[in-house]
Amino acid sequence: MKRDKTKYVIIAGGVTSSLGKGIIAASLGKLLQARGLKVTVIKLDPYINVDPGTLNPYEHGEVYVTYDGSETDLDLGHYERFLNIRTSAKNNMTTGKIYRTVIERERRGEYLGKTVQVIPHITDEIKNRIRSLENEGYDVVIVEIGGTVGDIESLPYIEAVRQLGWELGRENMVTILLTLIPYLTAAGELKTKPTQHSVKFLMQSGVQPDILVCRTERPLSRKLKEKIALFTNVNIDSVVESIDVNSIYEVPMKMLNEGLDSVVIKRLGLENRVSSKPDLTSWKLFLERMEKPVDEVRIALVGKYVQLKDAYKSIYESLIHGSVANGLKLKLDWVDSEKLTDENIVERLGGLHGILIAPGFGSRGIEGKLSAIRYAREKKIPLLGICFGMQMAAIEFARNVLGYKEAHSTELNPSTPYPVIDLLPEQLEKQYMGGTMRLGAKIIIISGSGRLLEAYGGKRKITERHRHRYFFNEKFREEFEKAGMRIVAVDEEVGLTEAMELKDHPWFVTVQFHPEYQSTVDRPHPLFIAFIKNAYKCKQKKLAHGQKK
Ligand code: GLN
């Protein structure tokens, strides 16, 4: 059977970064999917790191781990959460990856004596990677180019896309430029000049944008749209307003109202492949629930990167999904673990209903995390510990319940006499930092009849994603269990501890895996649903006991 051709939507950004290209890409993807098309999204990152795995979260936000174990850009998280799809290594390329492939090929002599150059060798590699999903039956592949047009780093990508458009033909590729229309308070006006310049810049590289998505704080008048259209060779119905909204989840509806999906479908000649109306039933249901919560719940996210919210992107979104599923509004306190001490803990965490201990690396801020864990354990506040959060909970338990004051992780103190958290044996031989952790999805078996099993609705075999080098040391298992910290899940293949929970506590669950990578709008993660549900129970109990907050 002849398959329909895969069509491409390129999304580039103009004027500034941080305009939300990832959200626009995910929103457009959602709308096209809701029309019945099979869609995926690829992110092109112009930096030279091979992947963001070695980057400080302050540089680049969270590292998103795919099912197949690639460490990728956080925009892939948006794609998965919006589209309810699984992405893979193929959905994220970086300049580092491209050059590495080309240089390795050169070393193998595969260029047969040719001079290896940006054009055509680097651009060919970019095009091949963009087209690598073509045989997977996608109707549309959306390609988001990181950075801003005009960046030196982006040039090979823009050139590759220009060539791609030429090769594929006009009816098979559409280019969207996301740009900013700033409002100048002093002049009382929206300004189009930066957008005109960005379009010119793109045109200098031979790329004419077909659609402009204009980020703005205020509505764009018809007149203004006409002006933008005239100066940029873009049809007026392809000048799309993207006004600021309260939640990223409202963006697809905004784009629907602006007709972005229709313009793309028409331009790509996809009319005969789509239904006339998008099916957004479950999305709208989510929005309705989000807009009309019955009550609110206050959660603390304890971590060391709280200054940059993007560092915990997936956790934040998963908490939203979990709250909406419970009909609640999330009130999130970002608690800096470096500033948390036994002295200020009541003041910082006293009024909260649930505590989440974030993943992490290195010793900065661990004392604050340990204090928060102790507080949650003793005061019986629901706690969810993720990865490093589980490891910290094990250390806290060993120190304060088992009495091993020097208990530690060998990541933080290699000579501790009580290494409750130790290096995975396979990690001993690793030479490189990048891409060498225990990564990606593994099958996990849940035992016993505790909170974890309850959260997963009685399912004993689950699959969750990972990103770590250290693990719970089995030598301490018996002692932990005897004292009330139960090992409730292990890796099916190698038997490593995947989850622990406290026996005499309303809800104290810590996991070695990362549930946040698998929560989507359509499938909120069960662990976050259970965590929020129990945090809310804690709120009600507090209220019943006459505590104000
Ligand atoms: N630093 C810890 C480890 O490598 C935890 C990692 C994490 O929280 N993702 O095992």
Side-chain angles (χ1 to χ4, degrees), residues 193-355:
K193 193 76 79 190
T195 296
Q196 295 177 36
H197 281 298
S198 287
V199 173
K200 287 225 169 78
F201 214 99
L202 204 52
M203 286 168 80
Q204 273 171 22
S205 308
V207 178
Q208 161 72 54
D210 303 289
I211 299 170
L212 299 178
V213 174
C214 306
R215 272 300 295 271
T216 173
E217 288 169 30
R218 305 191 171 214
L220 304 182
S221 64
R222 173 91 193 167
K223 235 176 101 200
L224 201 90
K225 282 190 176 181
E226 275 167 6
K227 184 176 169 189
I228 298 171
L230 177 70
F231 281 114
T232 57
N233 294 345
V234 170
N235 287 336
I236 176 132
D237 65 352
S238 300
V239 179
V240 171
E241 169 191 297
S242 172
I243 201 153
D244 294 356
V245 284
N246 291 330
S247 157
I248 54 170
Y249 298 110
E250 291 171 34
V251 178
M253 305 316 288
K254 285 272 170 221
M255 291 301 106
L256 179 70
N257 292 343
E258 281 284 308
L260 179 62
D261 55 331
S262 303
V263 176
V264 169
I265 286 166
K266 199 165 145 211
R267 180 60 182 65
L268 292 176
L270 287 166
E271 289 96 334
N272 55 4
R273 278 195 236 176
V274 299
S275 52
S276 57
K277 274 218 163 93
D279 178 7
L280 288 161
T281 323
S282 63
W283 193 269
K284 284 187 193 154
L285 213 69
F286 173 84
L287 287 179
E288 274 164 33
R289 290 180 76 112
M290 187 172 76
E291 278 150 23
K292 292 196 191 75
V294 291
D295 200 354
E296 63 177 43
V297 63
R298 282 188 64 191
I299 304 292
L301 196 167
V302 182
K304 67 176 165 179
Y305 296 114
V306 290
Q307 263 63 271
L308 181 77
K309 310 272 185 282
D310 271 359
Y312 301 114
K313 194 75 201 159
S314 294
I315 290 179
Y316 175 68
E317 299 305 337
S318 303
L319 286 169
I320 300 241
H321 302 162
S323 302
V324 173
N326 280 290
L328 297 169
K329 182 177 172 59
L330 173 71
K331 280 266 177 211
L332 190 62
D333 277 38
W334 302 81
V335 179
D336 187 345
S337 53
E338 282 189 79
K339 297 200 179 118
L340 204 57
T341 61
D342 285 339
E343 286 68 50
N344 64 16
I345 199 111
V346 179
E347 182 198 325
R348 287 301 282 119
L349 302 181
L352 292 151
H353 314 127
I355 297 173

Side-chain angles (χ1 to χ4, degrees), residues 358-362 386-389 391 411 421 437 467-471 512 514:
F361 295 82
I386 299 179
C387 203
F388 203 51
Q391 300 177 358
E411 175 183 0
I421 304 296
M437 279 186 254
R467 183 173 187 249
H468 67 121
R469 279 183 220 285
Y470 293 82
F471 72 110
Q512 184 59 72
H514 289 263

